[in-house]
Amino acid sequence: MQMFFKRLRKERPAATGPEPDAAAAESPPAGADLAVAGLAGAGDGPVETASEEGDAAPAAASGLMRDGHDRVSGASAGDTVPDLRSEVETSAESGGHAVSPQPDTATAHRACSFATSADLEPSTDLPGQEQARAAVEFALAMGGHDFNVFVSAPGVGAAGSVVRTAVLDWVRAYAASRPAADEWVYAIDREPPAPLRALRFPASRGKTFVGQFNEALAEFTAIARTVLASDEHAARRRAVDEAYRIETEQALDALEARAESLNIAILKTPTGHVMAPMHDGEVVRAETFAGLPTSYREDVERRIADVERELVEILARKPGADRRRRRQHLQLDGDVARAISETVFAELLEAFADVPDAIRHIAAIETVAATGLAGMRGEISVSVNAHAPGGALVAGPFPALGLGGGDGIARDLDWLAPYRAHVPLAVEGVAAAIGAPVVDVVLPSAPELTGRMVSAGGSVRAGSGVVVAGALHRANGGYIVVDADGLGADPQAWRALKRALVSGEIRVSLPAEGSADRSASAVEPEPIELKVKIVAVGSAAARAHLERTDAEFARLFKVAAMIEDHVARTPENQEAFARLIGSIVTAHKLLPVTAEGIERLLDVAEAMSGGARRISLDLEPIADLAREADHWARAAGREAIGSGDVEEALATRIERAGAAEAAETASGAGRRRSRGDEA
Amino acid sequence: MVLGIECSEPVSARALAATVHVAQAFHAEVECLLIEDRQLFDVANYTFAREVSAAAPTGRGIDIDALATDMRLAARGAERNLSAMARDADVPVQFRPLRDAPVKALADACQAMGPWNAVALSRPLSRRLLARTGRLFDRVTGMTGVVMASDRGDVADGPVVAVVEDFDRLAGMRRTAERLARVSGRDVRIAIIAATRRQLAWLEREVRQSVAGMPGVDVVPLGAAGGGAEVAAEALRRINPSFVVAAHGGQLLPAEPTPGTLADVLASPLLIVR
């Protein structure tokens, strides 16, 4: 590339005054006048500038601007800048590659009339790429997961490259007319450990549902606490307990009273009951009893046996009675929960009546709320009571979450908290575009593509984590533009993308097994149906690498689009090029480029394509050159980048290249000399 | 205070705590009788005697040694718990294991210690236990009052309530309630009961006059006049008392308790005075 620039370089003009471009920059109208002047000259026909060495300036055919100054002075002997006009004619005659006919420079120039790039609307639109764009749009329109498109482009760099930006703009333009994508919401619908369910919502309704649903959960908990603590509810529970007592204690009391009336004492032992004859409230001693008449003794024994039998029946009924009591408590609390959930979720059910996933999920949560509430009360009723300071008496029904219950200590617990829904994090940050989503992935990695699970604190457990969206989440229902070179460099990223495309699902990665961030109970969230098209933008080498590495690649990227690396230097393409320069200026925050500066850059671009009236679209070197020229313009205190600055940039590059070459040559010669000496 | 722990019956932790509370209030020491019911050992001598339980519904023979061991273990557990509570409250406590009929053991102990004893029972408050209060007062002559504690529901944290049905008893009941309230830092509420509206109105007037100006003492009717034990019990429950002082044989604590009365609704300790 350095040799190439060496060829492009012209001698710098003698410093006879301020740079004509500076003058143009300082007074744009003057620059415009110069252009007009150039136009006046150019209107007489193709312009031939007489260089010092008689070179024909390639810009003569451009018609952009002509002051003749720097071209004339810049040309030097030995420049290989061809007489492009003559070359073009020759080429056309000899049937060489088709080039645009010699432009009507006057017309062309009038169409592109401007003083600096600031007068132009910047654009990333690449000239002459209609076929490539059509190929991309074809791939986007095709159904199926395997009609993805690989866009080969010269000089494609990372984010910010002009070509990549242009492709992104094509995709965005296409996506704008597509329907907006569905939204996905994650939530668990049963007691943990449980996987996060993926719920589908129409565009923009998922977030609304999350807000309203979580609010409903909080409302449910608040109302449930109030109801459970109310006198009315306590009275109902007491009634159940009373019925139990009547069934057991009263039965025992009654039996005791009856036994007493029969002069039989029922005594409690540590492990059961014993019966004995009684007199005057005291148990009769065995020896005294033995002295009583046999018939009396037999009668007493019979009575004791009856009482024993009855006692056994009462004791046998106790477990059943206790079970019934517990069930009645659960039923009571279930009724309460259902009444509350009917109130709390009614609005939500109405608002999302047309969303099947929402209806199903709410129904599941209503069941959870009913049984969870009942379970919570069930634990309370058997535990040794203790109050947390200022807190309600609550025991957690979710031991898997380590939330109360086991140790009998009360905790103030929002027991429905694990059931809160969420949209994948970072989806919120994606600009709400019109149409389908488009996501630009610059550094693809597996988690970047498929998302991951995180937890607010501690490790991710089943149902306790939150999904951080990957690119596939964000682009689901739309399109991804991905850096193909990056994809090729990260096999895991490619594998993750391939897996997602082939399965048609997004599976979120859990933290690594055995890591501190992952508990044994962690469960993968439910996969989400994936509908996405991939536009991979990269070099031909990247494509070749991916195809070599994995035969599946070609099967999944059936469409190829080629960004032409050079286009004809027509007025239209020149104008497009000028706007591209404008976008480079914007992207890199450069000084505006004068018309002459743009023309010089055009010359460089033409020379890069080997001349023949074609300009190279390998814009990274052009961008770099523009940036270096900006440096020189600023150093000279100019307000715009002129052709002289471009020249300066070229010259200094050559100098640096020359110095490096000389150093290399010297070291090489030194090595040869030393080897010779040794020999 | 004489605490009778029957080693064959379940021991209520709240009953132990109530015992210590009362002892602390009256700067008394606790004489704890660890009673192995002699009658159980007598029953073991019967040839036909069997122990019946939910685990052994067909009954099994009474193993005296096992019985004695079980009761000794129960006694040790109760002793440990009570010692800890007494230590925390700085209440002296003496333990005396013995084998006798429970009521007789209490009566003998009260007689030996002289008059003005409060007796505490370790069994949880129940209708059956409450029904025996009259018999207890009859047989344990040295007893001025008996302490029982309920194991139902949550620990109550309301005021100490003195239930007054007779104006003549106001001063004593109020002073008792105040002593108990001082230990726990609660307020005192005088709950009044009367058979008729007129009596209730008079009683309320007199009581309010008597306690006027006393800080932390409040007066409230306990249910409607003539409402009976059930109404009074429910009204008392709503106050959520942390301790109740009441006289035996009145409207709140009739001689024969019925469903819905105090034993069924009370969640706090109860000091029944003669």
Side-chain angles (χ1 to χ4, degrees), chain A residues 247-267:
Chain A
E247 195 173 343
T248 53
E249 288 182 11
Q250 265 203 309
L252 275 170
D253 289 351
L255 180 64
E256 222 181 84
R258 197 169 81 79
E260 209 174 298
S261 72
L262 297 172
N263 287 321
I264 294 169
I266 301 179
L267 303 173

mmCIF file with all atom_site columns, all heavy atoms in Angstrom, chain A residues 247-267:
data_model
loop_
_atom_site.group_PDB
_atom_site.id
_atom_site.type_symbol
_atom_site.label_atom_id
_atom_site.label_alt_id
_atom_site.label_comp_id
_atom_site.label_asym_id
_atom_site.label_entity_id
_atom_site.label_seq_id
_atom_site.pdbx_PDB_ins_code
_atom_site.Cartn_x
_atom_site.Cartn_y
_atom_site.Cartn_z
_atom_site.occupancy
_atom_site.B_iso_or_equiv
_atom_site.pdbx_formal_charge
_atom_site.auth_seq_id
_atom_site.auth_comp_id
_atom_site.auth_asym_id
_atom_site.auth_atom_id
_atom_site.pdbx_PDB_model_num
ATOM 1   N N   . GLU A 1 247 ? -64.283 -32.527 68.803 1.00 0.00 ? 247 GLU A N   1
ATOM 2   C CA  . GLU A 1 247 ? -64.225 -33.912 68.349 1.00 0.00 ? 247 GLU A CA  1
ATOM 3   C C   . GLU A 1 247 ? -63.250 -34.736 69.192 1.00 0.00 ? 247 GLU A C   1
ATOM 4   O O   . GLU A 1 247 ? -63.499 -35.909 69.442 1.00 0.00 ? 247 GLU A O   1
ATOM 5   C CB  . GLU A 1 247 ? -63.789 -33.936 66.880 1.00 0.00 ? 247 GLU A CB  1
ATOM 6   C CG  . GLU A 1 247 ? -64.053 -35.272 66.208 1.00 0.00 ? 247 GLU A CG  1
ATOM 7   C CD  . GLU A 1 247 ? -63.764 -35.237 64.716 1.00 0.00 ? 247 GLU A CD  1
ATOM 8   O OE1 . GLU A 1 247 ? -63.669 -34.129 64.130 1.00 0.00 ? 247 GLU A OE1 1
ATOM 9   O OE2 . GLU A 1 247 ? -63.625 -36.316 64.121 1.00 0.00 ? 247 GLU A OE2 1
ATOM 10  N N   . THR A 1 248 ? -62.182 -34.150 69.656 1.00 0.00 ? 248 THR A N   1
ATOM 11  C CA  . THR A 1 248 ? -61.167 -34.929 70.377 1.00 0.00 ? 248 THR A CA  1
ATOM 12  C C   . THR A 1 248 ? -61.224 -34.698 71.878 1.00 0.00 ? 248 THR A C   1
ATOM 13  O O   . THR A 1 248 ? -61.547 -35.594 72.643 1.00 0.00 ? 248 THR A O   1
ATOM 14  C CB  . THR A 1 248 ? -59.762 -34.598 69.850 1.00 0.00 ? 248 THR A CB  1
ATOM 15  O OG1 . THR A 1 248 ? -59.590 -33.170 69.890 1.00 0.00 ? 248 THR A OG1 1
ATOM 16  C CG2 . THR A 1 248 ? -59.602 -35.043 68.414 1.00 0.00 ? 248 THR A CG2 1
ATOM 17  N N   . GLU A 1 249 ? -60.949 -33.487 72.292 1.00 0.00 ? 249 GLU A N   1
ATOM 18  C CA  . GLU A 1 249 ? -60.913 -33.222 73.740 1.00 0.00 ? 249 GLU A CA  1
ATOM 19  C C   . GLU A 1 249 ? -62.249 -33.462 74.401 1.00 0.00 ? 249 GLU A C   1
ATOM 20  O O   . GLU A 1 249 ? -62.334 -34.073 75.464 1.00 0.00 ? 249 GLU A O   1
ATOM 21  C CB  . GLU A 1 249 ? -60.477 -31.780 73.998 1.00 0.00 ? 249 GLU A CB  1
ATOM 22  C CG  . GLU A 1 249 ? -59.013 -31.536 73.722 1.00 0.00 ? 249 GLU A CG  1
ATOM 23  C CD  . GLU A 1 249 ? -58.622 -30.104 74.040 1.00 0.00 ? 249 GLU A CD  1
ATOM 24  O OE1 . GLU A 1 249 ? -59.431 -29.381 74.651 1.00 0.00 ? 249 GLU A OE1 1
ATOM 25  O OE2 . GLU A 1 249 ? -57.502 -29.726 73.647 1.00 0.00 ? 249 GLU A OE2 1
ATOM 26  N N   . GLN A 1 250 ? -63.267 -32.961 73.765 1.00 0.00 ? 250 GLN A N   1
ATOM 27  C CA  . GLN A 1 250 ? -64.586 -33.147 74.382 1.00 0.00 ? 250 GLN A CA  1
ATOM 28  C C   . GLN A 1 250 ? -64.944 -34.612 74.448 1.00 0.00 ? 250 GLN A C   1
ATOM 29  O O   . GLN A 1 250 ? -65.589 -35.051 75.420 1.00 0.00 ? 250 GLN A O   1
ATOM 30  C CB  . GLN A 1 250 ? -65.665 -32.403 73.577 1.00 0.00 ? 250 GLN A CB  1
ATOM 31  C CG  . GLN A 1 250 ? -65.940 -31.028 74.125 1.00 0.00 ? 250 GLN A CG  1
ATOM 32  C CD  . GLN A 1 250 ? -67.308 -30.519 73.731 1.00 0.00 ? 250 GLN A CD  1
ATOM 33  O OE1 . GLN A 1 250 ? -67.642 -30.556 72.550 1.00 0.00 ? 250 GLN A OE1 1
ATOM 34  N NE2 . GLN A 1 250 ? -68.090 -30.082 74.681 1.00 0.00 ? 250 GLN A NE2 1
ATOM 35  N N   . ALA A 1 251 ? -64.548 -35.329 73.413 1.00 0.00 ? 251 ALA A N   1
ATOM 36  C CA  . ALA A 1 251 ? -64.806 -36.767 73.429 1.00 0.00 ? 251 ALA A CA  1
ATOM 37  C C   . ALA A 1 251 ? -64.096 -37.390 74.621 1.00 0.00 ? 251 ALA A C   1
ATOM 38  O O   . ALA A 1 251 ? -64.677 -38.212 75.356 1.00 0.00 ? 251 ALA A O   1
ATOM 39  C CB  . ALA A 1 251 ? -64.358 -37.404 72.119 1.00 0.00 ? 251 ALA A CB  1
ATOM 40  N N   . LEU A 1 252 ? -62.870 -36.966 74.836 1.00 0.00 ? 252 LEU A N   1
ATOM 41  C CA  . LEU A 1 252 ? -62.118 -37.479 75.989 1.00 0.00 ? 252 LEU A CA  1
ATOM 42  C C   . LEU A 1 252 ? -62.740 -37.019 77.296 1.00 0.00 ? 252 LEU A C   1
ATOM 43  O O   . LEU A 1 252 ? -62.859 -37.792 78.250 1.00 0.00 ? 252 LEU A O   1
ATOM 44  C CB  . LEU A 1 252 ? -60.667 -36.991 75.916 1.00 0.00 ? 252 LEU A CB  1
ATOM 45  C CG  . LEU A 1 252 ? -59.709 -37.841 75.068 1.00 0.00 ? 252 LEU A CG  1
ATOM 46  C CD1 . LEU A 1 252 ? -58.388 -37.137 74.885 1.00 0.00 ? 252 LEU A CD1 1
ATOM 47  C CD2 . LEU A 1 252 ? -59.504 -39.206 75.691 1.00 0.00 ? 252 LEU A CD2 1
ATOM 48  N N   . ASP A 1 253 ? -63.109 -35.736 77.300 1.00 0.00 ? 253 ASP A N   1
ATOM 49  C CA  . ASP A 1 253 ? -63.756 -35.213 78.516 1.00 0.00 ? 253 ASP A CA  1
ATOM 50  C C   . ASP A 1 253 ? -65.017 -35.989 78.828 1.00 0.00 ? 253 ASP A C   1
ATOM 51  O O   . ASP A 1 253 ? -65.285 -36.354 79.988 1.00 0.00 ? 253 ASP A O   1
ATOM 52  C CB  . ASP A 1 253 ? -64.108 -33.726 78.327 1.00 0.00 ? 253 ASP A CB  1
ATOM 53  C CG  . ASP A 1 253 ? -62.876 -32.841 78.331 1.00 0.00 ? 253 ASP A CG  1
ATOM 54  O OD1 . ASP A 1 253 ? -61.797 -33.369 78.653 1.00 0.00 ? 253 ASP A OD1 1
ATOM 55  O OD2 . ASP A 1 253 ? -62.998 -31.647 77.996 1.00 0.00 ? 253 ASP A OD2 1
ATOM 56  N N   . ALA A 1 254 ? -65.777 -36.202 77.810 1.00 0.00 ? 254 ALA A N   1
ATOM 57  C CA  . ALA A 1 254 ? -67.046 -36.919 78.017 1.00 0.00 ? 254 ALA A CA  1
ATOM 58  C C   . ALA A 1 254 ? -66.781 -38.333 78.508 1.00 0.00 ? 254 ALA A C   1
ATOM 59  O O   . ALA A 1 254 ? -67.476 -38.835 79.410 1.00 0.00 ? 254 ALA A O   1
ATOM 60  C CB  . ALA A 1 254 ? -67.831 -36.941 76.710 1.00 0.00 ? 254 ALA A CB  1
ATOM 61  N N   . LEU A 1 255 ? -65.777 -38.948 77.924 1.00 0.00 ? 255 LEU A N   1
ATOM 62  C CA  . LEU A 1 255 ? -65.450 -40.318 78.348 1.00 0.00 ? 255 LEU A CA  1
ATOM 63  C C   . LEU A 1 255 ? -64.981 -40.318 79.792 1.00 0.00 ? 255 LEU A C   1
ATOM 64  O O   . LEU A 1 255 ? -65.365 -41.198 80.572 1.00 0.00 ? 255 LEU A O   1
ATOM 65  C CB  . LEU A 1 255 ? -64.359 -40.893 77.439 1.00 0.00 ? 255 LEU A CB  1
ATOM 66  C CG  . LEU A 1 255 ? -63.929 -42.317 77.791 1.00 0.00 ? 255 LEU A CG  1
ATOM 67  C CD1 . LEU A 1 255 ? -65.103 -43.286 77.602 1.00 0.00 ? 255 LEU A CD1 1
ATOM 68  C CD2 . LEU A 1 255 ? -62.754 -42.765 76.936 1.00 0.00 ? 255 LEU A CD2 1
ATOM 69  N N   . GLU A 1 256 ? -64.211 -39.337 80.136 1.00 0.00 ? 256 GLU A N   1
ATOM 70  C CA  . GLU A 1 256 ? -63.727 -39.243 81.515 1.00 0.00 ? 256 GLU A CA  1
ATOM 71  C C   . GLU A 1 256 ? -64.877 -39.047 82.486 1.00 0.00 ? 256 GLU A C   1
ATOM 72  O O   . GLU A 1 256 ? -64.923 -39.661 83.556 1.00 0.00 ? 256 GLU A O   1
ATOM 73  C CB  . GLU A 1 256 ? -62.744 -38.075 81.622 1.00 0.00 ? 256 GLU A CB  1
ATOM 74  C CG  . GLU A 1 256 ? -61.524 -38.386 82.452 1.00 0.00 ? 256 GLU A CG  1
ATOM 75  C CD  . GLU A 1 256 ? -60.581 -37.229 82.557 1.00 0.00 ? 256 GLU A CD  1
ATOM 76  O OE1 . GLU A 1 256 ? -60.784 -36.353 83.420 1.00 0.00 ? 256 GLU A OE1 1
ATOM 77  O OE2 . GLU A 1 256 ? -59.617 -37.205 81.739 1.00 0.00 ? 256 GLU A OE2 1
ATOM 78  N N   . ALA A 1 257 ? -65.776 -38.171 82.085 1.00 0.00 ? 257 ALA A N   1
ATOM 79  C CA  . ALA A 1 257 ? -66.937 -37.924 82.946 1.00 0.00 ? 257 ALA A CA  1
ATOM 80  C C   . ALA A 1 257 ? -67.766 -39.208 83.094 1.00 0.00 ? 257 ALA A C   1
ATOM 81  O O   . ALA A 1 257 ? -68.209 -39.570 84.199 1.00 0.00 ? 257 ALA A O   1
ATOM 82  C CB  . ALA A 1 257 ? -67.781 -36.810 82.354 1.00 0.00 ? 257 ALA A CB  1
ATOM 83  N N   . ARG A 1 258 ? -67.930 -39.884 82.008 1.00 0.00 ? 258 ARG A N   1
ATOM 84  C CA  . ARG A 1 258 ? -68.724 -41.124 82.061 1.00 0.00 ? 258 ARG A CA  1
ATOM 85  C C   . ARG A 1 258 ? -67.999 -42.164 82.906 1.00 0.00 ? 258 ARG A C   1
ATOM 86  O O   . ARG A 1 258 ? -68.616 -42.862 83.724 1.00 0.00 ? 258 ARG A O   1
ATOM 87  C CB  . ARG A 1 258 ? -68.949 -41.654 80.645 1.00 0.00 ? 258 ARG A CB  1
ATOM 88  C CG  . ARG A 1 258 ? -70.063 -42.669 80.559 1.00 0.00 ? 258 ARG A CG  1
ATOM 89  C CD  . ARG A 1 258 ? -70.417 -42.942 79.111 1.00 0.00 ? 258 ARG A CD  1
ATOM 90  N NE  . ARG A 1 258 ? -69.480 -43.895 78.501 1.00 0.00 ? 258 ARG A NE  1
ATOM 91  C CZ  . ARG A 1 258 ? -69.547 -45.219 78.686 1.00 0.00 ? 258 ARG A CZ  1
ATOM 92  N NH1 . ARG A 1 258 ? -70.460 -45.728 79.473 1.00 0.00 ? 258 ARG A NH1 1
ATOM 93  N NH2 . ARG A 1 258 ? -68.669 -46.021 78.110 1.00 0.00 ? 258 ARG A NH2 1
ATOM 94  N N   . ALA A 1 259 ? -66.652 -42.226 82.687 1.00 0.00 ? 259 ALA A N   1
ATOM 95  C CA  . ALA A 1 259 ? -65.871 -43.192 83.472 1.00 0.00 ? 259 ALA A CA  1
ATOM 96  C C   . ALA A 1 259 ? -65.974 -42.872 84.956 1.00 0.00 ? 259 ALA A C   1
ATOM 97  O O   . ALA A 1 259 ? -66.100 -43.769 85.798 1.00 0.00 ? 259 ALA A O   1
ATOM 98  C CB  . ALA A 1 259 ? -64.418 -43.184 83.013 1.00 0.00 ? 259 ALA A CB  1
ATOM 99  N N   . GLU A 1 260 ? -65.936 -41.574 85.261 1.00 0.00 ? 260 GLU A N   1
ATOM 100 C CA  . GLU A 1 260 ? -66.024 -41.166 86.668 1.00 0.00 ? 260 GLU A CA  1
ATOM 101 C C   . GLU A 1 260 ? -67.351 -41.592 87.272 1.00 0.00 ? 260 GLU A C   1
ATOM 102 O O   . GLU A 1 260 ? -67.408 -42.036 88.421 1.00 0.00 ? 260 GLU A O   1
ATOM 103 C CB  . GLU A 1 260 ? -65.864 -39.639 86.739 1.00 0.00 ? 260 GLU A CB  1
ATOM 104 C CG  . GLU A 1 260 ? -65.256 -39.147 88.024 1.00 0.00 ? 260 GLU A CG  1
ATOM 105 C CD  . GLU A 1 260 ? -64.986 -37.645 87.979 1.00 0.00 ? 260 GLU A CD  1
ATOM 106 O OE1 . GLU A 1 260 ? -64.181 -37.225 87.108 1.00 0.00 ? 260 GLU A OE1 1
ATOM 107 O OE2 . GLU A 1 260 ? -65.598 -36.945 88.794 1.00 0.00 ? 260 GLU A OE2 1
ATOM 108 N N   . SER A 1 261 ? -68.370 -41.439 86.456 1.00 0.00 ? 261 SER A N   1
ATOM 109 C CA  . SER A 1 261 ? -69.692 -41.850 86.962 1.00 0.00 ? 261 SER A CA  1
ATOM 110 C C   . SER A 1 261 ? -69.742 -43.355 87.185 1.00 0.00 ? 261 SER A C   1
ATOM 111 O O   . SER A 1 261 ? -70.580 -43.858 87.938 1.00 0.00 ? 261 SER A O   1
ATOM 112 C CB  . SER A 1 261 ? -70.776 -41.409 85.982 1.00 0.00 ? 261 SER A CB  1
ATOM 113 O OG  . SER A 1 261 ? -70.721 -42.206 84.813 1.00 0.00 ? 261 SER A OG  1
ATOM 114 N N   . LEU A 1 262 ? -68.852 -44.084 86.529 1.00 0.00 ? 262 LEU A N   1
ATOM 115 C CA  . LEU A 1 262 ? -68.804 -45.539 86.714 1.00 0.00 ? 262 LEU A CA  1
ATOM 116 C C   . LEU A 1 262 ? -67.721 -45.921 87.710 1.00 0.00 ? 262 LEU A C   1
ATOM 117 O O   . LEU A 1 262 ? -67.362 -47.090 87.810 1.00 0.00 ? 262 LEU A O   1
ATOM 118 C CB  . LEU A 1 262 ? -68.470 -46.203 85.358 1.00 0.00 ? 262 LEU A CB  1
ATOM 119 C CG  . LEU A 1 262 ? -69.478 -46.016 84.223 1.00 0.00 ? 262 LEU A CG  1
ATOM 120 C CD1 . LEU A 1 262 ? -68.935 -46.556 82.913 1.00 0.00 ? 262 LEU A CD1 1
ATOM 121 C CD2 . LEU A 1 262 ? -70.808 -46.701 84.570 1.00 0.00 ? 262 LEU A CD2 1
ATOM 122 N N   . ASN A 1 263 ? -67.198 -44.873 88.377 1.00 0.00 ? 263 ASN A N   1
ATOM 123 C CA  . ASN A 1 263 ? -66.125 -45.096 89.363 1.00 0.00 ? 263 ASN A CA  1
ATOM 124 C C   . ASN A 1 263 ? -64.888 -45.702 88.731 1.00 0.00 ? 263 ASN A C   1
ATOM 125 O O   . ASN A 1 263 ? -64.238 -46.586 89.287 1.00 0.00 ? 263 ASN A O   1
ATOM 126 C CB  . ASN A 1 263 ? -66.615 -45.988 90.519 1.00 0.00 ? 263 ASN A CB  1
ATOM 127 C CG  . ASN A 1 263 ? -67.551 -45.213 91.426 1.00 0.00 ? 263 ASN A CG  1
ATOM 128 O OD1 . ASN A 1 263 ? -67.338 -44.035 91.710 1.00 0.00 ? 263 ASN A OD1 1
ATOM 129 N ND2 . ASN A 1 263 ? -68.597 -45.867 91.889 1.00 0.00 ? 263 ASN A ND2 1
ATOM 130 N N   . ILE A 1 264 ? -64.622 -45.224 87.535 1.00 0.00 ? 264 ILE A N   1
ATOM 131 C CA  . ILE A 1 264 ? -63.388 -45.654 86.863 1.00 0.00 ? 264 ILE A CA  1
ATOM 132 C C   . ILE A 1 264 ? -62.539 -44.416 86.611 1.00 0.00 ? 264 ILE A C   1
ATOM 133 O O   . ILE A 1 264 ? -63.040 -43.408 86.091 1.00 0.00 ? 264 ILE A O   1
ATOM 134 C CB  . ILE A 1 264 ? -63.698 -46.363 85.534 1.00 0.00 ? 264 ILE A CB  1
ATOM 135 C CG1 . ILE A 1 264 ? -64.427 -47.657 85.815 1.00 0.00 ? 264 ILE A CG1 1
ATOM 136 C CG2 . ILE A 1 264 ? -62.428 -46.609 84.736 1.00 0.00 ? 264 ILE A CG2 1
ATOM 137 C CD1 . ILE A 1 264 ? -65.016 -48.300 84.592 1.00 0.00 ? 264 ILE A CD1 1
ATOM 138 N N   . ALA A 1 265 ? -61.269 -44.513 86.987 1.00 0.00 ? 265 ALA A N   1
ATOM 139 C CA  . ALA A 1 265 ? -60.357 -43.385 86.769 1.00 0.00 ? 265 ALA A CA  1
ATOM 140 C C   . ALA A 1 265 ? -59.590 -43.615 85.475 1.00 0.00 ? 265 ALA A C   1
ATOM 141 O O   . ALA A 1 265 ? -59.151 -44.732 85.199 1.00 0.00 ? 265 ALA A O   1
ATOM 142 C CB  . ALA A 1 265 ? -59.389 -43.259 87.939 1.00 0.00 ? 265 ALA A CB  1
ATOM 143 N N   . ILE A 1 266 ? -59.473 -42.565 84.692 1.00 0.00 ? 266 ILE A N   1
ATOM 144 C CA  . ILE A 1 266 ? -58.614 -42.628 83.494 1.00 0.00 ? 266 ILE A CA  1
ATOM 145 C C   . ILE A 1 266 ? -57.393 -41.779 83.797 1.00 0.00 ? 266 ILE A C   1
ATOM 146 O O   . ILE A 1 266 ? -57.507 -40.558 84.011 1.00 0.00 ? 266 ILE A O   1
ATOM 147 C CB  . ILE A 1 266 ? -59.326 -42.085 82.252 1.00 0.00 ? 266 ILE A CB  1
ATOM 148 C CG1 . ILE A 1 266 ? -60.596 -42.878 81.967 1.00 0.00 ? 266 ILE A CG1 1
ATOM 149 C CG2 . ILE A 1 266 ? -58.384 -42.129 81.047 1.00 0.00 ? 266 ILE A CG2 1
ATOM 150 C CD1 . ILE A 1 266 ? -61.378 -42.382 80.767 1.00 0.00 ? 266 ILE A CD1 1
ATOM 151 N N   . LEU A 1 267 ? -56.254 -42.430 83.844 1.00 0.00 ? 267 LEU A N   1
ATOM 152 C CA  . LEU A 1 267 ? -55.013 -41.738 84.219 1.00 0.00 ? 267 LEU A CA  1
ATOM 153 C C   . LEU A 1 267 ? -54.099 -41.633 83.006 1.00 0.00 ? 267 LEU A C   1
ATOM 154 O O   . LEU A 1 267 ? -54.032 -42.555 82.182 1.00 0.00 ? 267 LEU A O   1
ATOM 155 C CB  . LEU A 1 267 ? -54.294 -42.492 85.325 1.00 0.00 ? 267 LEU A CB  1
ATOM 156 C CG  . LEU A 1 267 ? -55.122 -42.718 86.612 1.00 0.00 ? 267 LEU A CG  1
ATOM 157 C CD1 . LEU A 1 267 ? -54.364 -43.631 87.568 1.00 0.00 ? 267 LEU A CD1 1
ATOM 158 C CD2 . LEU A 1 267 ? -55.417 -41.385 87.289 1.00 0.00 ? 267 LEU A CD2 1
#
